Amino acid sequence: MKKNSACLLFICSTIAFFSAFVQPSFASSKGRSEKIYLWDGIPKMETQKRDTVLHVFPPSKKNESDTKNVPAVIICPGGSYHHLGMKHEGFDTARWFASKGFLAFVLQYRVAYNEHHFPDQLADFQRAIFYIRKNHEKFGIDKNRIGAIGFSAGGHLVTMAAEFAERNQLNLLGIKEIETDENLRPDFVMPIYPVVSMQDDIAHKWSRKSLLGHQYSVSFDEKNFISNQFSIPTASKKFSLFNIRGFKYSEEIKSAFSMENPKNVPSDMPPVFLLACEDDPVVLYENSVRLEKTLSECGVNHVFVNFPKGGHGFGMNPKSYAIKTYAWNEKNLLPWLVEIGVLK
């Protein structure tokens, strides 16, 4: 009886833990005006409705001379592509951007917690930016000043959204209601302590597993992948003492999803604000170092802000060490947004 009670307590605690990420409290979403279910009413996508949501935070301070033409930002919380850290990386971030005159959208995208792998995350982002651009007059935003900020795995997602924008996942779904020639690339991106690489030496393996899944295939057509048509992520069957799950990602797959791969960086890559802490205990700092190196080599307009301490997962929590010590959002990010012309 005691054993069953302990088991039940463990299960309930686990559910409560992940619910804290996926179902944040009403208090934590203070300032939100509405929720938009991005797949609602879309044929073949009705079952995806509850897992893909835009949480809308209108500007709380009008910094724009034209208040009907404000900038917008899509916010992608992290969580290893498995769950979502909605409070500090989502809602706290939205309130900060809203205070600077942005219309902020927190994207609750599909993750492995609900059995979703690539390309669902990219499709959700592309659906979000398509929806926002299509309705820019309704929202009162400038359709050419829509950026994206992402934390940890969310940092990988926003970087991937910029690098893979020409690979239109919406059209690949074959649903006429959402087929589009609209520009799906964000106008500026801000990966914060991001997952970058899928390479074995520095990869955040939980994020990699959650993103790519465990589908098996004996072949991989890199040419087909690089040309706008994505193959299903694959893993080869291989058993060893160090790989008891019996799968191993191919070098082609790891390179294809590594954002530091120069082959992935387009000629029209938008400006990038990259931030990481050297003592990050979760996602190795080397991820950001390699991304910065590639951005420099490819001539991408970017800045790399790094700190010796700060750790991981702080988002824009006003009580975090990184915000209290460095005020990086006010002292580094805000001037950069002015510098690139997003804020006036």
Side-chain angles (χ1 to χ4, degrees):
M1 186 68 178
K2 290 183 178 180
K3 183 177 181 181
N4 290 340
S5 298
C7 183
L8 180 61
L9 178 62
F10 173 77
I11 293 172
C12 291
S13 299
T14 302
I15 292 173
F17 173 77
F18 285 117
S19 293
F21 288 100
V22 182
Q23 300 292 340
S25 68
F26 178 80
S28 70
S29 60
K30 181 180 179 181
R32 181 180 64 193
S33 63
E34 63 177 314
K35 293 194 293 184
I36 299 170
Y37 294 89
L38 286 170
W39 297 115
D40 188 22
I42 305 299
K44 304 179 184 178
M45 298 297 288
E46 290 89 347
T47 59
Q48 312 303 306
K49 173 182 174 179
R50 70 181 180 89
D51 294 329
T52 308
V53 185
L54 271 184
H55 301 261
V56 184
F57 288 73
S60 57
K61 179 179 180 181
K62 307 292 187 180
N63 283 349
E64 299 286 305
S65 57
D66 180 2
T67 57
K68 294 182 179 180
N69 200 34
V70 301
V73 63
I74 300 171
I75 301 162
C76 297
S80 304
Y81 278 126
H82 176 271
H83 52 274
L84 295 174
M86 294 291 285
K87 187 178 185 298
H88 297 322
E89 295 177 342
F91 297 154
D92 281 349
T93 303
R95 282 187 284 271
W96 183 83
F97 274 99
S99 74
K100 306 304 176 185
F102 280 79
L103 183 57
F105 299 88
V106 180
L107 176 60
Q108 184 178 323
Y109 54 93
R110 290 174 288 175
V111 290
Y113 175 76
N114 290 318
E115 300 183 355
H116 291 286
H117 307 288
F118 182 86
D120 292 355
Q121 296 87 351
L122 182 59
D124 285 350
F125 184 94
Q126 291 184 341
R127 172 64 180 154
I129 198 166
F130 165 65
Y131 182 91
I132 294 167
R133 281 208 169 106
K134 182 180 179 181
N135 294 283
H136 71 279
E137 292 183 352
K138 167 191 167 185
F139 288 124
I141 63 174
D142 182 346
K143 67 181 296 185
N144 296 313
R145 285 190 293 160
I146 302 174
I149 186 170
F151 301 85
S152 194
H156 184 274
L157 178 55
V158 300
T159 307
M160 181 166 62
E163 294 187 0
F164 291 2
E166 295 300 322
R167 306 170 190 187
N168 189 323
Q169 295 300 309
L170 302 182
N171 290 353
L172 290 178
L173 288 172
I175 302 170
K176 64 179 182 180
E177 286 83 357
I178 57 173
E179 289 181 355
T180 179
D181 293 326
E182 180 67 79
N183 174 21
L184 300 176
R185 178 172 287 116
D187 297 302
F188 53 100
V189 291
M190 299 157 281
I192 310 299
Y193 45 82
V195 171
V196 173
S197 184
M198 298 289 128
Q199 301 299 331
D200 292 339
D201 60 337
I202 63 168
H204 184 249
K205 292 182 173 59
W206 192 13
S207 295
R208 183 173 70 179
K209 180 176 69 175
S210 296
L211 177 67
L212 300 180
H214 304 150
Q215 295 141 350
Y216 298 116
S217 174
V218 296
S219 64
F220 176 81
D221 186 348
E222 183 177 7
K223 183 178 179 181
N224 183 56
F225 181 92
I226 295 300
S227 65
N228 301 340
Q229 299 291 323
F230 276 109
S231 301
I232 295 174
T234 59
S236 61
K237 293 181 179 180
K238 184 174 182 179
F239 177 81
S240 74
L241 291 176
F242 302 102
N243 187 27
I244 60 175
R245 297 184 71 93
F247 67 90
K248 180 178 176 63
Y249 292 109
S250 67
E251 291 304 317
E252 293 87 353
I253 282 292
K254 288 184 286 189
S255 294
F257 287 91
S258 290
M259 297 299 99
E260 83 280 14
N261 182 354
K263 291 183 178 179
N264 288 332
V265 180
S267 59
D268 59 351
M269 182 74 176
V272 177
F273 178 92
L274 173 63
L275 182 144
C277 298
E278 296 175 20
D279 69 340
D280 192 326
V282 179
V283 176
L284 293 178
Y285 175 70
E286 179 67 17
N287 277 261
S288 293
V289 171
R290 292 189 191 178
L291 178 58
E292 196 279 332
K293 181 175 183 291
T294 295
L295 294 176
S296 295
E297 291 175 349
C298 294
V300 176
N301 179 5
H302 72 285
V303 297
F304 180 26
V305 177
N306 60 309
F307 301 115
K309 293 184 178 181
H312 189 88
F314 44 82
M316 286 200 187
N317 177 6
K319 296 180 180 179
S320 68
Y321 177 88
I323 293 292
K324 291 171 67 176
T325 304
Y326 308 119
W328 63 269
N329 49 359
E330 297 285 345
K331 295 182 179 179
N332 301 102
L333 179 56
L334 189 60
W336 180 78
L337 291 168
V338 174
E339 179 184 330
I340 64 171
V342 172
L343 288 177
K344 299 176 181 178

mmCIF file of all heavy atoms in Angstrom, residues 185-218:
data_model
loop_
_atom_site.group_PDB
_atom_site.id
_atom_site.type_symbol
_atom_site.label_atom_id
_atom_site.label_comp_id
_atom_site.label_asym_id
_atom_site.label_seq_id
_atom_site.Cartn_x
_atom_site.Cartn_y
_atom_site.Cartn_z
ATOM 1 N N ARG A 185 10.482 35.208 -42.859
ATOM 2 C CA ARG A 185 11.715 35.466 -42.109
ATOM 3 C C ARG A 185 11.489 36.615 -41.108
ATOM 4 O O ARG A 185 10.984 37.669 -41.476
ATOM 5 C CB ARG A 185 12.858 35.826 -43.060
ATOM 6 C CG ARG A 185 14.175 36.154 -42.325
ATOM 7 C CD ARG A 185 15.341 36.311 -43.296
ATOM 8 N NE ARG A 185 15.733 35.008 -43.822
ATOM 9 C CZ ARG A 185 15.656 34.640 -45.089
ATOM 10 N NH1 ARG A 185 15.196 35.477 -45.994
ATOM 11 N NH2 ARG A 185 16.036 33.440 -45.465
ATOM 12 N N PRO A 186 11.877 36.426 -39.852
ATOM 13 C CA PRO A 186 11.827 37.559 -38.906
ATOM 14 C C PRO A 186 12.822 38.633 -39.333
ATOM 15 O O PRO A 186 13.851 38.341 -39.954
ATOM 16 C CB PRO A 186 12.225 36.919 -37.567
ATOM 17 C CG PRO A 186 12.963 35.669 -37.940
ATOM 18 C CD PRO A 186 12.381 35.195 -39.229
ATOM 19 N N ASP A 187 12.518 39.887 -39.010
ATOM 20 C CA ASP A 187 13.362 41.010 -39.438
ATOM 21 C C ASP A 187 14.590 41.191 -38.555
ATOM 22 O O ASP A 187 15.546 41.869 -38.955
ATOM 23 C CB ASP A 187 12.529 42.297 -39.458
ATOM 24 C CG ASP A 187 11.396 42.222 -40.471
ATOM 25 O OD1 ASP A 187 11.680 42.009 -41.661
ATOM 26 O OD2 ASP A 187 10.224 42.340 -40.059
ATOM 27 N N PHE A 188 14.592 40.621 -37.385
ATOM 28 C CA PHE A 188 15.755 40.614 -36.492
ATOM 29 C C PHE A 188 15.537 39.480 -35.498
ATOM 30 O O PHE A 188 14.389 39.139 -35.180
ATOM 31 C CB PHE A 188 15.940 41.960 -35.769
ATOM 32 C CG PHE A 188 14.714 42.455 -35.049
ATOM 33 C CD1 PHE A 188 14.567 42.297 -33.681
ATOM 34 C CD2 PHE A 188 13.694 43.109 -35.745
ATOM 35 C CE1 PHE A 188 13.433 42.765 -33.012
ATOM 36 C CE2 PHE A 188 12.558 43.580 -35.090
ATOM 37 C CZ PHE A 188 12.426 43.404 -33.727
ATOM 38 N N VAL A 189 16.627 38.871 -35.038
ATOM 39 C CA VAL A 189 16.505 37.738 -34.114
ATOM 40 C C VAL A 189 17.431 37.910 -32.927
ATOM 41 O O VAL A 189 18.514 38.487 -33.042
ATOM 42 C CB VAL A 189 16.770 36.389 -34.808
ATOM 43 C CG1 VAL A 189 15.674 36.052 -35.791
ATOM 44 C CG2 VAL A 189 18.126 36.359 -35.478
ATOM 45 N N MET A 190 16.999 37.359 -31.785
ATOM 46 C CA MET A 190 17.722 37.520 -30.529
ATOM 47 C C MET A 190 17.807 36.176 -29.808
ATOM 48 O O MET A 190 16.985 35.885 -28.937
ATOM 49 C CB MET A 190 17.002 38.559 -29.661
ATOM 50 C CG MET A 190 16.912 39.937 -30.288
ATOM 51 S SD MET A 190 15.551 40.959 -29.626
ATOM 52 C CE MET A 190 14.127 40.266 -30.516
ATOM 53 N N PRO A 191 18.768 35.332 -30.177
ATOM 54 C CA PRO A 191 18.957 34.073 -29.439
ATOM 55 C C PRO A 191 19.693 34.319 -28.121
ATOM 56 O O PRO A 191 20.790 34.875 -28.109
ATOM 57 C CB PRO A 191 19.789 33.217 -30.405
ATOM 58 C CG PRO A 191 20.487 34.198 -31.299
ATOM 59 C CD PRO A 191 19.634 35.428 -31.358
ATOM 60 N N ILE A 192 19.063 33.919 -27.018
ATOM 61 C CA ILE A 192 19.609 34.162 -25.689
ATOM 62 C C ILE A 192 19.990 32.809 -25.064
ATOM 63 O O ILE A 192 19.169 31.902 -24.996
ATOM 64 C CB ILE A 192 18.591 34.889 -24.789
ATOM 65 C CG1 ILE A 192 18.016 36.133 -25.505
ATOM 66 C CG2 ILE A 192 19.221 35.256 -23.450
ATOM 67 C CD1 ILE A 192 19.039 37.181 -25.875
ATOM 68 N N TYR A 193 21.245 32.686 -24.608
ATOM 69 C CA TYR A 193 21.852 31.417 -24.166
ATOM 70 C C TYR A 193 21.302 30.253 -25.000
ATOM 71 O O TYR A 193 20.764 29.282 -24.474
ATOM 72 C CB TYR A 193 21.697 31.164 -22.650
ATOM 73 C CG TYR A 193 20.343 31.419 -22.013
ATOM 74 C CD1 TYR A 193 19.317 30.462 -22.066
ATOM 75 C CD2 TYR A 193 20.094 32.601 -21.309
ATOM 76 C CE1 TYR A 193 18.097 30.668 -21.454
ATOM 77 C CE2 TYR A 193 18.871 32.832 -20.702
ATOM 78 C CZ TYR A 193 17.877 31.857 -20.785
ATOM 79 O OH TYR A 193 16.658 32.062 -20.176
ATOM 80 N N PRO A 194 21.487 30.325 -26.338
ATOM 81 C CA PRO A 194 20.782 29.385 -27.205
ATOM 82 C C PRO A 194 21.432 28.014 -27.346
ATOM 83 O O PRO A 194 22.655 27.868 -27.264
ATOM 84 C CB PRO A 194 20.826 30.106 -28.556
ATOM 85 C CG PRO A 194 22.132 30.839 -28.525
ATOM 86 C CD PRO A 194 22.263 31.316 -27.095
ATOM 87 N N VAL A 195 20.586 27.012 -27.547
ATOM 88 C CA VAL A 195 21.023 25.770 -28.155
ATOM 89 C C VAL A 195 21.371 26.118 -29.596
ATOM 90 O O VAL A 195 20.597 26.794 -30.276
ATOM 91 C CB VAL A 195 19.903 24.712 -28.116
ATOM 92 C CG1 VAL A 195 20.287 23.485 -28.939
ATOM 93 C CG2 VAL A 195 19.574 24.324 -26.679
ATOM 94 N N VAL A 196 22.531 25.719 -30.056
ATOM 95 C CA VAL A 196 22.968 26.055 -31.412
ATOM 96 C C VAL A 196 23.311 24.798 -32.203
ATOM 97 O O VAL A 196 22.797 24.572 -33.296
ATOM 98 C CB VAL A 196 24.194 26.996 -31.383
ATOM 99 C CG1 VAL A 196 24.763 27.207 -32.795
ATOM 100 C CG2 VAL A 196 23.828 28.337 -30.757
ATOM 101 N N SER A 197 24.174 23.972 -31.624
ATOM 102 C CA SER A 197 24.755 22.857 -32.364
ATOM 103 C C SER A 197 24.078 21.530 -32.036
ATOM 104 O O SER A 197 23.610 21.307 -30.916
ATOM 105 C CB SER A 197 26.247 22.753 -32.053
ATOM 106 O OG SER A 197 26.855 21.744 -32.820
ATOM 107 N N MET A 198 24.064 20.650 -33.023
ATOM 108 C CA MET A 198 23.628 19.268 -32.830
ATOM 109 C C MET A 198 24.823 18.313 -32.806
ATOM 110 O O MET A 198 24.654 17.102 -32.739
ATOM 111 C CB MET A 198 22.666 18.856 -33.948
ATOM 112 C CG MET A 198 21.396 19.669 -34.002
ATOM 113 S SD MET A 198 20.252 19.335 -32.638
ATOM 114 C CE MET A 198 19.938 21.011 -32.038
ATOM 115 N N GLN A 199 26.036 18.861 -32.870
ATOM 116 C CA GLN A 199 27.241 18.036 -32.889
ATOM 117 C C GLN A 199 27.507 17.435 -31.512
ATOM 118 O O GLN A 199 27.269 18.063 -30.484
ATOM 119 C CB GLN A 199 28.441 18.860 -33.352
ATOM 120 C CG GLN A 199 28.275 19.474 -34.739
ATOM 121 C CD GLN A 199 28.082 18.421 -35.826
ATOM 122 O OE1 GLN A 199 28.568 17.303 -35.715
ATOM 123 N NE2 GLN A 199 27.354 18.788 -36.878
ATOM 124 N N ASP A 200 28.020 16.217 -31.516
ATOM 125 C CA ASP A 200 28.133 15.450 -30.273
ATOM 126 C C ASP A 200 28.945 16.143 -29.185
ATOM 127 O O ASP A 200 28.652 16.007 -27.998
ATOM 128 C CB ASP A 200 28.769 14.085 -30.559
ATOM 129 C CG ASP A 200 27.867 13.178 -31.381
ATOM 130 O OD1 ASP A 200 26.646 13.421 -31.394
ATOM 131 O OD2 ASP A 200 28.385 12.245 -32.019
ATOM 132 N N ASP A 201 29.975 16.900 -29.564
ATOM 133 C CA ASP A 201 30.880 17.438 -28.543
ATOM 134 C C ASP A 201 30.262 18.549 -27.706
ATOM 135 O O ASP A 201 30.624 18.724 -26.540
ATOM 136 C CB ASP A 201 32.192 17.912 -29.178
ATOM 137 C CG ASP A 201 31.999 19.010 -30.214
ATOM 138 O OD1 ASP A 201 30.883 19.119 -30.777
ATOM 139 O OD2 ASP A 201 32.966 19.753 -30.476
ATOM 140 N N ILE A 202 29.300 19.298 -28.261
ATOM 141 C CA ILE A 202 28.720 20.403 -27.478
ATOM 142 C C ILE A 202 27.196 20.406 -27.486
ATOM 143 O O ILE A 202 26.575 21.291 -26.886
ATOM 144 C CB ILE A 202 29.217 21.779 -27.969
ATOM 145 C CG1 ILE A 202 28.787 22.046 -29.422
ATOM 146 C CG2 ILE A 202 30.720 21.903 -27.802
ATOM 147 C CD1 ILE A 202 28.999 23.481 -29.854
ATOM 148 N N ALA A 203 26.574 19.470 -28.143
ATOM 149 C CA ALA A 203 25.107 19.482 -28.256
ATOM 150 C C ALA A 203 24.442 19.356 -26.893
ATOM 151 O O ALA A 203 24.926 18.649 -26.005
ATOM 152 C CB ALA A 203 24.637 18.350 -29.162
ATOM 153 N N HIS A 204 23.303 20.038 -26.755
ATOM 154 C CA HIS A 204 22.430 19.783 -25.613
ATOM 155 C C HIS A 204 21.555 18.604 -26.038
ATOM 156 O O HIS A 204 20.594 18.754 -26.782
ATOM 157 C CB HIS A 204 21.581 21.013 -25.279
ATOM 158 C CG HIS A 204 20.744 20.816 -24.052
ATOM 159 N ND1 HIS A 204 19.369 20.705 -24.093
ATOM 160 C CD2 HIS A 204 21.085 20.698 -22.739
ATOM 161 C CE1 HIS A 204 18.897 20.535 -22.873
ATOM 162 N NE2 HIS A 204 19.920 20.526 -22.035
ATOM 163 N N LYS A 205 21.900 17.420 -25.582
ATOM 164 C CA LYS A 205 21.355 16.193 -26.160
ATOM 165 C C LYS A 205 19.858 16.027 -25.920
ATOM 166 O O LYS A 205 19.152 15.404 -26.731
ATOM 167 C CB LYS A 205 22.147 14.990 -25.662
ATOM 168 C CG LYS A 205 23.582 14.975 -26.196
ATOM 169 C CD LYS A 205 24.351 13.763 -25.734
ATOM 170 C CE LYS A 205 25.724 13.698 -26.415
ATOM 171 N NZ LYS A 205 26.567 14.880 -26.165
ATOM 172 N N TRP A 206 19.345 16.552 -24.819
ATOM 173 C CA TRP A 206 17.894 16.460 -24.584
ATOM 174 C C TRP A 206 17.150 17.278 -25.642
ATOM 175 O O TRP A 206 16.151 16.834 -26.198
ATOM 176 C CB TRP A 206 17.553 16.936 -23.175
ATOM 177 C CG TRP A 206 16.140 16.622 -22.738
ATOM 178 C CD1 TRP A 206 15.253 15.774 -23.344
ATOM 179 C CD2 TRP A 206 15.454 17.148 -21.603
ATOM 180 N NE1 TRP A 206 14.060 15.724 -22.648
ATOM 181 C CE2 TRP A 206 14.154 16.562 -21.572
ATOM 182 C CE3 TRP A 206 15.803 18.052 -20.602
ATOM 183 C CZ2 TRP A 206 13.216 16.865 -20.590
ATOM 184 C CZ3 TRP A 206 14.867 18.341 -19.616
ATOM 185 C CH2 TRP A 206 13.582 17.760 -19.609
ATOM 186 N N SER A 207 17.653 18.470 -25.938
ATOM 187 C CA SER A 207 17.037 19.291 -26.975
ATOM 188 C C SER A 207 17.112 18.598 -28.336
ATOM 189 O O SER A 207 16.154 18.607 -29.107
ATOM 190 C CB SER A 207 17.718 20.661 -27.060
ATOM 191 O OG SER A 207 17.510 21.409 -25.880
ATOM 192 N N ARG A 208 18.260 18.009 -28.625
ATOM 193 C CA ARG A 208 18.428 17.326 -29.912
ATOM 194 C C ARG A 208 17.447 16.172 -30.046
ATOM 195 O O ARG A 208 16.786 16.012 -31.085
ATOM 196 C CB ARG A 208 19.866 16.818 -30.051
ATOM 197 C CG ARG A 208 20.155 16.159 -31.388
ATOM 198 C CD ARG A 208 21.630 15.816 -31.541
ATOM 199 N NE ARG A 208 22.056 14.732 -30.664
ATOM 200 C CZ ARG A 208 23.292 14.252 -30.628
ATOM 201 N NH1 ARG A 208 24.238 14.778 -31.400
ATOM 202 N NH2 ARG A 208 23.606 13.267 -29.806
ATOM 203 N N LYS A 209 17.354 15.367 -29.009
ATOM 204 C CA LYS A 209 16.434 14.230 -29.038
ATOM 205 C C LYS A 209 14.985 14.684 -29.160
ATOM 206 O O LYS A 209 14.200 14.104 -29.918
ATOM 207 C CB LYS A 209 16.610 13.393 -27.763
ATOM 208 C CG LYS A 209 15.700 12.167 -27.685
ATOM 209 C CD LYS A 209 16.001 11.355 -26.438
ATOM 210 C CE LYS A 209 15.587 12.078 -25.169
ATOM 211 N NZ LYS A 209 15.762 11.240 -23.965
ATOM 212 N N SER A 210 14.630 15.747 -28.434
ATOM 213 C CA SER A 210 13.258 16.240 -28.479
ATOM 214 C C SER A 210 12.916 16.829 -29.842
ATOM 215 O O SER A 210 11.790 16.684 -30.322
ATOM 216 C CB SER A 210 13.049 17.308 -27.399
ATOM 217 O OG SER A 210 13.203 16.762 -26.108
ATOM 218 N N LEU A 211 13.891 17.506 -30.461
ATOM 219 C CA LEU A 211 13.643 18.116 -31.766
ATOM 220 C C LEU A 211 13.558 17.072 -32.864
ATOM 221 O O LEU A 211 12.626 17.084 -33.676
ATOM 222 C CB LEU A 211 14.740 19.119 -32.099
ATOM 223 C CG LEU A 211 14.640 19.781 -33.484
ATOM 224 C CD1 LEU A 211 13.421 20.689 -33.567
ATOM 225 C CD2 LEU A 211 15.915 20.553 -33.803
ATOM 226 N N LEU A 212 14.517 16.167 -32.910
ATOM 227 C CA LEU A 212 14.642 15.274 -34.056
ATOM 228 C C LEU A 212 13.870 13.976 -33.928
ATOM 229 O O LEU A 212 13.572 13.326 -34.933
ATOM 230 C CB LEU A 212 16.117 14.960 -34.312
ATOM 231 C CG LEU A 212 17.003 16.172 -34.606
ATOM 232 C CD1 LEU A 212 18.433 15.747 -34.849
ATOM 233 C CD2 LEU A 212 16.469 16.962 -35.790
ATOM 234 N N GLY A 213 13.537 13.559 -32.721
ATOM 235 C CA GLY A 213 12.793 12.320 -32.567
ATOM 236 C C GLY A 213 13.651 11.099 -32.825
ATOM 237 O O GLY A 213 14.881 11.177 -32.896
ATOM 238 N N HIS A 214 12.988 9.963 -32.991
ATOM 239 C CA HIS A 214 13.702 8.690 -33.113
ATOM 240 C C HIS A 214 13.278 7.932 -34.361
ATOM 241 O O HIS A 214 13.236 6.707 -34.357
ATOM 242 C CB HIS A 214 13.440 7.812 -31.888
ATOM 243 C CG HIS A 214 13.783 8.466 -30.605
ATOM 244 N ND1 HIS A 214 13.147 8.212 -29.423
ATOM 245 C CD2 HIS A 214 14.714 9.415 -30.311
ATOM 246 C CE1 HIS A 214 13.654 8.949 -28.453
ATOM 247 N NE2 HIS A 214 14.602 9.693 -28.967
ATOM 248 N N GLN A 215 12.922 8.641 -35.425
ATOM 249 C CA GLN A 215 12.497 7.947 -36.632
ATOM 250 C C GLN A 215 13.707 7.358 -37.347
ATOM 251 O O GLN A 215 14.774 7.963 -37.372
ATOM 252 C CB GLN A 215 11.744 8.920 -37.547
ATOM 253 C CG GLN A 215 10.445 9.387 -36.922
ATOM 254 C CD GLN A 215 10.180 10.864 -37.200
ATOM 255 O OE1 GLN A 215 11.050 11.553 -37.695
ATOM 256 N NE2 GLN A 215 9.000 11.319 -36.865
ATOM 257 N N TYR A 216 13.528 6.196 -37.918
ATOM 258 C CA TYR A 216 14.641 5.484 -38.533
ATOM 259 C C TYR A 216 14.573 5.516 -40.053
ATOM 260 O O TYR A 216 13.506 5.424 -40.648
ATOM 261 C CB TYR A 216 14.660 4.023 -38.078
ATOM 262 C CG TYR A 216 14.843 3.847 -36.604
ATOM 263 C CD1 TYR A 216 13.852 3.273 -35.829
ATOM 264 C CD2 TYR A 216 16.000 4.278 -35.974
ATOM 265 C CE1 TYR A 216 14.022 3.123 -34.461
ATOM 266 C CE2 TYR A 216 16.185 4.133 -34.620
ATOM 267 C CZ TYR A 216 15.195 3.547 -33.867
ATOM 268 O OH TYR A 216 15.356 3.404 -32.514
ATOM 269 N N SER A 217 15.722 5.608 -40.699
ATOM 270 C CA SER A 217 15.807 5.512 -42.147
ATOM 271 C C SER A 217 17.237 5.140 -42.500
ATOM 272 O O SER A 217 18.175 5.525 -41.808
ATOM 273 C CB SER A 217 15.446 6.836 -42.819
ATOM 274 O OG SER A 217 15.662 6.763 -44.210
ATOM 275 N N VAL A 218 17.398 4.377 -43.552
ATOM 276 C CA VAL A 218 18.745 3.967 -43.937
ATOM 277 C C VAL A 218 19.371 4.949 -44.913
ATOM 278 O O VAL A 218 20.532 4.818 -45.273
ATOM 279 C CB VAL A 218 18.724 2.556 -44.585
ATOM 280 C CG1 VAL A 218 18.276 1.535 -43.562
ATOM 281 C CG2 VAL A 218 17.815 2.536 -45.810
#
